[in-house]
């Protein structure tokens, strides 16, 4: 099922429906399939389409952490916190703040 979903989402990339939501959905499907390394560029494309997409920043951080890139995760969450604050997305801001604190602890 997930392989079919990923294939269908990839088929839409570069077309008229390409955008933040499509790239976020593809990144999320890849992350759920256990392919964090492939999810990272999709989340990066999602935030390139919409820098205020706090959910994409949050999952980008999770994907970076899954491949043991703590600096990348921290950077994604910092940018995500700023995006969430700008949009008034308090829940996403709180979640990413907690994630960031956890990886910044010595």
């Amino acid at each position: 099922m997930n392989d079919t979903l990923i294939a269908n989402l990839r088929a839409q990339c570069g077309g008229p429906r390409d955008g933040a939501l499509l790239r976020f959905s593809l990144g999320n499907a890849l992350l759920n399939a256990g392919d964090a390394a492939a999810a990272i560029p999709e989340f990066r494309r999602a935030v390139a389409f919409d820098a205020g997409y706090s959910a994409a920043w949050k999952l980008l951080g999770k994907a970076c952490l899954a491949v043991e890139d703590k600096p990348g995760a921290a950077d994604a969450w910092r940018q995500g916190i700023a995006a969430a604050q700008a949009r008034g997305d308090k829940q996403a801001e709180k979640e990413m703040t907690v994630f960031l604190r956890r990886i910044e602890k010595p």
Side-chain angles (χ1 to χ4, degrees), residues 82-95:
Q85 288 171 338
R87 289 201 176 171
D89 188 352
K90 297 290 184 192
Q91 183 61 35
E93 178 186 350
K94 287 178 187 177
E95 290 175 14

Side-chain angles (χ1 to χ4, degrees), residues 40 43-44 47 55-65 72-73 76-77:
I40 290 169
F43 290 129
R44 290 197 189 285
V47 297
W57 286 113
K58 181 174 80 169
L59 291 187
L60 173 58
K62 285 189 171 193
C64 288
L65 193 59
W77 289 330

Side-chain angles (χ1 to χ4, degrees), residues 1 3 7 10 14 16 23 27 30 32 34 51 54 62 65 71-72 85 88 92 106:
M1 164 80 182
D3 290 340
R10 280 191 170 138
R23 297 303 179 137
L30 289 163
N32 288 335
S54 56
K62 285 189 171 193
L65 193 59
Q85 288 171 338

Side-chain angles (χ1 to χ4, degrees), residues 24-71:
F24 173 81
S25 299
L26 178 54
N28 191 37
L30 289 163
L31 188 59
N32 288 335
D35 194 351
I40 290 169
E42 299 307 330
F43 290 129
R44 290 197 189 285
R45 287 183 187 101
V47 297
F49 278 111
D50 181 0
Y53 200 163
S54 56
W57 286 113
K58 181 174 80 169
L59 291 187
L60 173 58
K62 285 189 171 193
C64 288
L65 193 59
V67 298
E68 300 181 19
D69 178 9
K70 283 186 179 183

